Amino acid sequence: MIPTSGSYRLTNIRLHRSLTPGLAATFNSDGFALVDMSVADGKISSISAHGKPNVAGDAIDLAGRIVLPCFVDCHTHIDKGHIWPRKPNPDGTFMGALNATGADRTARWSAEDVARRMDFSLRSAYAHGTRAVRTHLDSVPPQEEISWPVFEAVRERWRGRIDLQAACLLGIEGVRDKAWFERLAKRVAGAKGVLGVVTYMVPDLEELLDQVFAQAIKRGLDLDFHADETDDVAAISLKKIAEASLWNGFEGNILVGHCCSLARQPDLEVFDTLDKVAKAGLAVVSLPMCNLYLQDRRNNNTTPRWRGVTLLHEMKERGIKVAVASDNTRDPFYAYGDLDMLEVYRMATRILHFDHPVGDWPKAVAVTPAEVMRLDGAGTLAAGGGADFIVFKGRSWTELLSRPESDRIVVRDGRAIERQLPDYAELDELMV
């Protein structure tokens, strides 16, 4: 349907208001407008209301199908991906995941193992229509000496297809070794990465956060935290991160993931935290599929009673940038998933109520994470911008989010790509 070269015009397509800035058109109650879009030389040459005269190239009538910009997935773990067959989570709990992953990392994460699983994950993401990925890399010794060089090589191989970023991942207690943490920060900076840690309510949390911020300021790094991935109402490290950002005068981008405990806390505590998060300019990403899987597991005779997600609606009302992302894929933290951001948005809509009205929630998988990752032009469709988009069969949100859309058409640089998902059998020899 989409030509492999040359100029063409897509007519009678539906674009969403939140992802097409400045578009002059008539939008329906769900935020869609019928438009025509012309493509030439890998760029979008024009977007106009459907039916206006346009002479650029052959016309392809898409009969009202939805077209979205390619996705941006700002929180993943492709170094962990697909180890489930050889190291499953024994009970589905967070601690079960932590212990299983640690054991597998120690025993199996060679450079070849990590590289092959990373490439498998990226091929899946690319086929589903993702154009940018931020991955966390487990960076506890000696893994940082293995995974960072692998990441840099993989990033180079994928250049031009997926914009790939990495953030180091270690427990906040690892920062106590100041000399080692400084070496890690230097390595991250050398790889043009992002400085990241997992925060817990340790007695010296504020002091350790100061050290993290000091290294980020010294080396000009953005920050990415895992925080409060628990139902413990006493877990308030999101607030502590915001406070540390304010008193350190940090000017870089900060993304905080999970923040599950916030949904369990009293309103006064919640409002105080969110006010500080807004003032500090933090962005927050929720991982709805992974945390629905992990949180509130007790035993096989108990039904989970909460969703494990954070307060995105309340954050958004305060002007806090919010996103959703894939997180883990077929590893002990999440037994499922395929780095398909349509699946993430579909699940987020159901779990977090991104509907009635839809408003600008689609930004949470496109332009907002692109801004956090400093990717100019990503996550939107605009004249003069890159022709990177996905053509779906659905003509409304209820059609789009009711089916997997496995036959979607992914267009990169104006050309439809070969959407070949990798076969799981490719990884079999790594699982023995």
Side-chain angles (χ1 to χ4, degrees), residues 256-308:
V256 188
H258 300 289
C259 310
C260 305
S261 65
L262 191 68
R264 309 278 285 180
Q265 293 165 0
D267 284 350
L268 288 178
E269 181 71 30
V270 168
F271 299 152
D272 183 49
T273 296
L274 294 186
D275 289 344
K276 290 175 178 176
V277 169
K279 185 177 181 181
L282 274 56
V284 173
V285 58
S286 182
L287 299 311
M289 298 193 304
C290 182
N291 284 134
L292 193 72
Y293 173 82
L294 285 174
Q295 296 298 312
D296 209 24
R297 279 191 187 264
R298 307 176 201 183
N299 56 59
N300 291 334
N301 300 317
T302 304
T303 302
R305 300 183 187 182
W306 75 300
R307 299 181 182 210

Side-chain angles (χ1 to χ4, degrees), residues 218-234:
K218 177 180 179 179
R219 304 182 187 280
L221 298 174
D222 287 340
L223 289 166
D224 193 316
F225 293 92
H226 284 58
D228 305 328
E229 193 175 0
T230 174
D231 63 357
D232 182 1
V233 296

Side-chain angles (χ1 to χ4, degrees), residues 200-219:
Y200 314 107
M201 297 307 296
V202 293
D204 54 345
L205 177 59
E206 292 180 352
E207 176 188 341
L208 296 175
L209 284 172
D210 280 346
Q211 292 181 45
V212 173
F213 276 90
Q215 285 296 327
I217 292 169
K218 177 180 179 179
R219 304 182 187 280

Side-chain angles (χ1 to χ4, degrees), residues 370-417:
E371 290 171 354
V372 172
M373 293 173 63
R374 301 183 184 271
L375 301 173
D376 292 339
T380 62
L381 297 174
D388 298 315
F389 54 85
I390 312 165
V391 180
F392 299 99
K393 281 196 171 177
R395 300 164 299 171
S396 63
W397 288 120
T398 184
E399 290 185 1
L400 179 66
L401 301 181
S402 294
R403 289 180 176 171
E405 292 274 357
S406 300
D407 53 356
R408 71 192 75 169
I409 301 169
V410 176
V411 177
R412 299 298 306 275
D413 296 322
R415 300 185 298 272
I417 68 168

